[in-house]
Amino acid sequence: MDNQKLTQWSALREVELFLFREAELADQHLYKEWFALWTEELLYWVPCNSDEQAIGRKIALINDNRPELDERLFRLGTKFAHAQNPKSRLSRVIGNVVLQQWDADHGGCVTSRFNLTEVRAGRQLTFAGRQTHLLARQNGELRMREKHVYLANHDIPMPNLTFII
Amino acid sequence: MQQVENPLSAHAITHVNLQSLVQDGRVHSRAYTNQAIFDLEIDRIFHRSWIYVGHESEVPKPGDYQARPIGRTPVLMVRGKDNKVRVLVNRCRHRGAQVVETESGNTRMFRCWYHGWTYELTGALAEVTERGGYGPDFRTQNMGLVEVPRVASHRGFVFASIKAEGESLAEFLGGAAAQFDMLVDASPTGEIFLDAGTNKTEYMGNWKLVGMDGYHPNFVHASVVAGWARNSESGIGAMHREDPFSDEALTLTRYYGNGHAMLDFRAQRLKSYKKHAEFLSKVAGGVKYVEDMHKAYGKERAELLISLSGDPHLGVFPNLQLIGNQVRIITPITPGITQVTMSMVRLGGVSDEINTMRVRQHESFYGPAGSGSPDDAEIFERVQRGMMAEVNPWIEISRGMHREFVDTDGSVVGRITDEVPQRGQMKYWLHLMTQAA
Ligand code: FES
Ligand SMILES: [Fe+2]
């Protein structure tokens, strides 16, 4: 393998391991650790009805900046977030990871797909979709600047979505 | 506790045993859990009453349609070439296939893809394939998509009734009709558009659970309340107002008859008019909005409309709610499954920034991932599970019976935590359920 190929492979592997770690923290409801994966400025966006929605013009399922995401995680951490009390048991798999645009020093854009099983209140549900991460390298570490989640079921009657997606 | 005898057998629902389910201040939980009663609700409520189908702004151009259910009946709300909005049963007159499969769209005609029959936007049968297979007695003019016999609209809200005769929409809405203005006239031009997205949600509970309840917020939404406290400490909660859900607040419950009820925030919010106007002045176009509202409606009414910010918090029985910045449709699926759609309202005649701010308000509390709706759904599911116990099957809805009174406009009024809406709704429910065909 030539050097350029090796660099591409190791970049992909680093990003994959980052996404796996993010998925694991989300599955375990480790809000503090998961929140620490973000950059100071952030957008956590889960559109509703369509993948091509103008942010702010139409309602999203989630459209959080830092204070709003902070508030969401605070709320989920209280004893009164009934829809997560008891918590969902989660298991997600990340795949089809593709670096769309990448710069070793600064980060870039990566797309992937996920498949998530939720078990709660005697029910087993499946969520799946595509996700786009805008990653930035800060002090050598990868951080999430934006995360967009395009749920397969965002235009049909949905159950609660109260865990980190 | 003693075992209460079944007032009802699933096979023999009579007026007498229906009546035994709804008593003064209490309701038997079987009204929420029983399949036979649910089937009767579809027949006697959803297939007879005025049912909200959609808003005219959802079909702005000729050929635009929305596919929705009325009870168990799939229908199409469609705008014809004559600009008239019709409600057609979405069932082919040949062998019964659902004709339109997409939820919404624009078309010149409808084609059933089973054997290719086509229909005009009016529902009229346009063409039968291989026409020679039918004799001279086959009348195409009698074979159109069935038009729902009664369709009427109020301020752009289109209602339809499958029952051919009955009271007019205006009679049905009664005192609730005027409350639609509190939403529509939040626009200085009196225009709203339901084109800014729809949350589609489902919970495992009965459709009657999602009502007007001013008693629950401090408990069901305790996590949100905790968040407010945290924000005001950090200085972000500048909009802090007194608790609208305490018995001391100026907020009220109000019952208009025919099942229609509201949480009446008018007096309580009007008290904070200055804060509302100040908040708006920080949004681009907000100062102009306040001016335009005054020009359009005069000082007194403009101040009320601005304070309420388009939220009459009105439930129109059985399937429409005007809450927050949204229009809700309640759709019963089974006794224990309900779908709720929440369509964002865009105001006409205001800046994009105001509408964007309203979208953000909605997103933060409502929808499957909001801070409020999921806990509501969670509690409805707990209620549905709890109600399966029939050792003592009574749901207590007597709160405030001793202090409710009849207002000058004929509506029944209670404090915000009182169960005026629940009593009104179930009384009207019983009336509809025990009416002869
Ligand atoms: S069922 Fe529609 S054409 Fe035959
Ligand atoms: Fe609620």
Side-chain angles (χ1 to χ4, degrees), chain A residues 49 60 68 72 83 123 155 161, chain B residues 198 200 360 363 368-369 381:
Chain A
N49 304 123
E68 287 157 350
R72 175 184 301 278
R123 256 184 289 162
D155 198 34
L161 178 65
Chain B
T198 298
K200 300 173 182 176
R360 292 295 305 115
E363 283 165 341
E381 297 191 355

Side-chain angles (χ1 to χ4, degrees), chain A residues 35 45-46 48-49 53-65 67-68 70-76 78-86 120-123 125 153-163 165, chain B residues 103 195-204 219-224 226-228 230-231 236 339 342-344 346 352 355-357 359-360 362-364 366-375 377-379 381-382 385:
Chain A
F35 197 35
W45 185 56
V46 186
C48 185
N49 304 123
Q53 240 173 31
I55 300 181
R57 294 273 300 280
K58 298 203 173 187
I59 48 174
L61 294 164
I62 298 173
N63 180 6
D64 285 353
N65 57 20
E68 287 157 350
D70 182 42
E71 168 110 11
R72 175 184 301 278
L73 298 174
F74 163 79
R75 228 177 9 78
L76 289 173
T78 67
K79 293 195 295 287
F80 325 115
H82 311 300
Q84 274 299 304
N85 191 7
R120 188 178 180 276
R123 256 184 289 162
L125 302 170
N153 63 339
H154 63 29
D155 198 34
I156 62 163
M158 280 178 68
N160 281 348
L161 178 65
T162 41
F163 47 82
I165 189 76
Chain B
E103 257 181 80
D195 61 2
T198 298
N199 290 133
K200 300 173 182 176
T201 68
E202 184 171 271
Y203 65 84
M204 304 289 119
F219 312 100
V220 172
H221 304 303
S223 74
V224 178
W228 286 342
R230 178 172 173 255
N231 271 358
I236 305 167
Q339 292 177 354
M342 309 171 183
S343 290
M344 178 70 206
R346 179 170 65 85
D352 287 350
N355 276 318
T356 295
M357 177 269 289
V359 165
R360 292 295 305 115
H362 176 89
E363 283 165 341
S364 74
Y366 296 101
S371 61
S373 300
D375 289 334
E378 166 71 13
I379 293 295
E381 297 191 355
R382 293 184 190 182
R385 289 195 288 270

Side-chain angles (χ1 to χ4, degrees), chain B residues 1 29 43 119 208 217 246 258 268 286 299 345 384 417 434:
Chain B
M1 263 192 278
S29 61
D43 291 344
Y119 300 91
K208 296 186 293 298
S246 92
N258 292 355
Q268 197 259 351
K299 181 178 182 313
V345 173
Q384 196 71 21
T417 63
T434 51

Side-chain angles (χ1 to χ4, degrees), chain B residues 92 94-97 112 114-117:
Chain B
C92 183
H94 179 222
R95 274 200 246 152
C112 174
Y114 197 172
H115 311 94
W117 288 24

Side-chain angles (χ1 to χ4, degrees), chain B residues 216 220-221 365 376:
Chain B
H216 81 286
V220 172
H221 304 303
F365 194 83
D376 285 322

